[in-house]
Amino acid sequence: KKAKSKVIPPAPSSIGQREAPTIEGTWVRNMASGPEIYVGNKGSQKDRDELAYYSHCYSEAVEKLREQRFGAAERGIPLEYFTWERVVVDECHEMLVTGKGFKLDEFKDTARRGAREFLGVAQTEISKRPLVAARGVWGLTGTPLLETEARVTELANLMGGTYVTGASHHWRKEERESGRDMFLNQTESVLSREYRCAVQAAAHEYVEMACQRNRGEALNVNLNRIKSNVNMTEREGEKFMAAVNKAQQNSYSIAANVLGEMTSDALEIT
């Protein structure tokens, strides 16, 4: 509504992996690195078209939102309108994980889909991503997905749009590609050994420089806490208590980690 754009369609209830190659009904193993193909995947071009349309409508709404001007007292301005100093993504590997089937009613799948769209995983132009950071995007994870060069490129793309050796193509982008693009990707000539060695070396260099481990003490970051007390209306209080009661809690003082999957209901009220 704030963007004054057309309605964004519901998130598609599917994922868009490339179809598994078969011959006479027998599975042909594919040695390509990355999770875009696996045995039993049900990806189809129809799914990719739906994902592409959803991402297009969302991107169009964000662009129109940023054309608007809001006063200092305006309420309910979407997060996509602002440019943040920095963005820190907890458990950043989660948004790059996909199971064998997307289920809209499952909190994890919905959260992963939302995070991918919110951070603009398929958008190569950083300024057009829904969530924009002035200084950069930081990811926190104890299980980074770094087992292949393709995975490193994917993560580097997500964390602020850094492209390893100039490569920007990864399977999350492929999820939203047309049949023509899919055909062209599959008919590209085999890359030379020198290029593959250069990609591997650049991936190692990126991991060494961009990935920080156990260096918190050397950062010397000053923590400033600002607390603002906000009083809910009586009606908001009733809705909040109804939300937390689902988690068998009956208090206004409750942490988000206690609510778990019901956190979104309570945060919407507060």
Side-chain angles (χ1 to χ4, degrees):
K1 291 181 179 180
K2 292 286 185 182
K4 299 178 181 178
S5 66
K6 63 183 179 182
V7 177
I8 301 173
S13 58
S14 58
I15 47 182
Q17 283 98 331
R18 193 192 314 160
E19 291 85 339
T22 58
I23 181 169
E24 295 182 358
T26 303
W27 167 249
V28 178
R29 294 187 178 275
N30 186 289
M31 300 306 293
S33 59
E36 63 268 31
I37 295 179
Y38 58 76
V39 178
N41 108 55
K42 298 179 181 179
S44 69
Q45 187 57 53
K46 179 177 178 293
D47 295 333
R48 287 190 288 275
D49 290 341
E50 289 179 353
L51 284 163
Y53 181 67
Y54 175 78
S55 294
H56 168 74
C57 291
Y58 182 34
S59 178
E60 196 175 61
V62 170
E63 188 175 351
K64 289 187 176 181
L65 173 68
R66 290 172 180 162
E67 293 174 355
Q68 309 300 320
R69 293 295 177 265
F70 302 105
E74 186 83 25
R75 300 186 64 182
I77 302 174
L79 297 177
E80 293 92 331
Y81 179 75
F82 302 96
T83 296
W84 304 90
E85 181 71 9
R86 62 174 62 84
V87 174
V88 181
V89 185
D90 191 21
E91 300 294 352
C92 62
H93 68 278
E94 281 287 344
M95 70 199 66
L96 302 176
V97 173
T98 293
K100 291 188 177 181
F102 176 74
K103 298 179 182 178
L104 275 174
D105 57 343
E106 288 194 6
F107 176 76
K108 270 194 173 182
D109 281 336
T110 305
R112 286 168 177 167
R113 166 62 57 75
R116 286 196 289 274
E117 296 294 342
F118 198 40
L119 288 166
V121 69
Q123 177 57 260
T124 55
E125 191 171 340
I126 307 305
S127 62
K128 291 186 177 180
R129 288 186 174 182
L131 200 60
V132 176
R135 300 188 63 179
V137 179
W138 288 78
L140 301 175
T141 176
T143 52
L145 302 174
L146 303 173
E147 67 270 24
T148 66
E149 292 86 352
R151 279 299 203 181
V152 175
T153 300
E154 180 185 47
L155 186 63
N157 178 200
L158 186 66
M159 296 292 107
T162 302
Y163 304 117
V164 179
T165 65
S168 64
H169 187 84
H170 54 84
W171 83 279
R172 284 297 180 189
K173 187 168 174 288
E174 190 176 77
E175 271 189 314
R176 296 154 176 82
E177 291 185 335
S178 65
R180 174 182 177 275
D181 290 335
M182 294 291 292
F183 173 77
L184 293 175
N185 291 339
Q186 293 176 8
T187 55
E188 286 181 351
S189 59
V190 178
L191 299 174
S192 68
R193 181 177 180 276
E194 288 76 12
Y195 179 82
R196 285 184 279 114
C197 288
V199 169
Q200 187 179 61
H204 279 288
E205 185 180 2
Y206 175 80
V207 171
E208 184 177 350
M209 294 183 65
C211 297
Q212 307 291 310
R213 183 180 180 185
N214 301 331
R215 300 183 186 179
E217 297 178 357
L219 294 177
N220 296 322
V221 176
N222 294 321
L223 177 62
N224 296 319
R225 294 184 181 274
I226 300 175
K227 182 183 291 187
S228 299
N229 296 320
V230 179
N231 294 323
M232 289 186 284
T233 64
E234 184 176 346
R235 184 180 178 184
E236 289 172 337
E238 292 174 355
K239 290 177 65 179
F240 181 84
M241 294 303 293
V244 299
N245 280 337
K246 294 178 183 178
Q248 299 181 341
Q249 302 292 326
N250 192 26
S251 171
Y252 287 103
S253 301
I254 184 168
N257 63 324
V258 177
L259 287 173
E261 296 182 3
M262 271 81 74
T263 303
S264 59
D265 297 333
L267 290 179
E268 184 179 354
I269 300 164
T270 56

